[in-house]
C-alpha cells in the first residue's frame, strides 16, 4: 500500500476535515463550538493563516485555510488547535472518556481522531466545489433541511459578501454538493 504524503505549498489553500474521537458529538453545544473558534483565533495570533470557510458539525469540522505566502506548515497549526482545544475543553467540560494505554503513551486526548484529512485546493473550480461542500455539509448529514438553518458555519459571511443567496442549496440534492471530500 502506498504511503500517504501531505502536500505543503507556501501560500497554499487547503481543505481540512478533523473528526472527533469515536465520532463523539463534542460540538453539539454552542459553548464547545465557540471554544473551538476561540482556539482557532488564538492559534492564528501566533501562527498566521486565514480561515476562508468553515462548518462545525456535532462530530467533525470542515475548514478551508489560506496559508501565508512564506509558510506552508498547516500541520503545526492543526496540531496546535487540537492541543489547545483539548486542554480548554477538558478544563471546561470535564466529561471525557478514559484514555487507553496507547493514548497515554502517545500523549493523546480522547477528543480527536489521531489523523485529519487534508486536500490542497488546486484552482478556482476546486475552491468553489470545496466551499460549497463545506456549507452544504449539515444538509448532507441530515442535521437541517436548509443550509441557512445551520448557524455554525461561514455561510452567512458568504451571503453578506454576495457569494450566495440566503436560499442557496434549498433545491440541491444531497449528492450534488458531493461526497468526495473526506466526510
Amino acid at each position: 500500500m502506498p504511503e500517504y504524503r501531505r502536500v505543503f505549498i507556501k501560500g497554499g489553500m487547503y481543505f481540512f476535515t478533523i473528526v472527533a474521537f469515536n465520532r463523539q458529538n463534542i460540538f453539539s453545544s454552542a459553548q464547545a463550538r465557540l471554544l473551538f473558534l476561540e482556539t482557532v483565533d488564538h492559534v492564528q495570533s501566533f501562527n498566521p493563516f486565514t480561515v476562508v470557510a468553515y462548518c462545525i458539525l456535532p462530530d467533525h469540522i470542515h475548514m478551508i485555510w489560506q496559508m501565508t505566502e512564506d509558510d506552508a506548515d498547516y500541520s503545526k497549526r492543526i496540531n496546535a488547535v487540537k492541543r489547545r482545544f483539548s486542554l480548554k475543553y477538558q478544563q471546561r467540560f470535564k466529561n471525557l472518556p478514559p484514555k487507553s494505554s496507547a493514548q497515554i503513551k502517545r500523549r493523546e486526548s480522547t477528543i480527536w481522531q489521531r489523523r485529519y484529512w487534508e486536500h490542497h485546493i488546486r484552482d478556482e473550480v476546486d475552491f468553489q466545489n470545496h466551499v460549497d461542500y463545506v456549507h452544504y455539509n449539515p444538509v448532507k448529514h441530515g442535521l437541517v433541511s436548509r443550509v441557512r438553518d445551520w448557524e455554525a458555519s461561514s455561510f452567512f459571511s458568504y451571503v453578506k459578501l454576495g457569494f450566495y443567496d440566503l436560499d442557496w442549496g434549498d433545491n440541491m440534492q444531497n449528492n450534488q454538493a458531493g461526497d468526495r471530500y473526506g466526510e
Side-chain angles (χ1 to χ4, degrees), residues 17-110:
T17 299
I18 306 174
V19 181
F21 182 71
N22 287 341
R23 291 280 184 175
Q24 301 170 91
N25 288 328
I26 62 172
F27 298 108
S28 292
S29 74
Q31 297 97 333
R33 293 188 298 271
L34 180 60
L35 179 62
F36 180 79
L37 294 173
E38 289 170 351
T39 300
V40 170
D41 285 345
H42 177 82
V43 171
Q44 281 178 301
S45 69
F46 293 97
N47 297 290
F49 61 94
T50 301
V51 177
V52 176
Y54 74 91
C55 186
I56 304 173
L57 296 115
D59 65 352
H60 68 284
I61 295 168
H62 294 295
M63 296 179 290
I64 299 174
W65 289 359
Q66 175 75 57
M67 302 303 296
T68 60
E69 289 300 319
D70 62 341
D71 200 346
D73 196 354
Y74 56 80
S75 287
K76 174 173 70 174
R77 290 157 176 84
I78 294 276
N79 290 333
V81 166
K82 289 169 74 173
R83 188 172 35 255
R84 182 173 178 85
F85 179 84
S86 296
L87 176 68
K88 297 296 184 182
Y89 186 89
Q90 283 179 289
Q91 291 171 347
R92 189 169 296 172
F93 297 102
K94 301 181 188 338
N95 61 344
L96 299 176
K99 292 182 181 186
S100 69
S101 58
Q103 286 171 318
I104 292 169
K105 180 180 175 183
R106 292 185 181 105
R107 297 175 49 196
E108 296 174 341
S109 75
T110 55

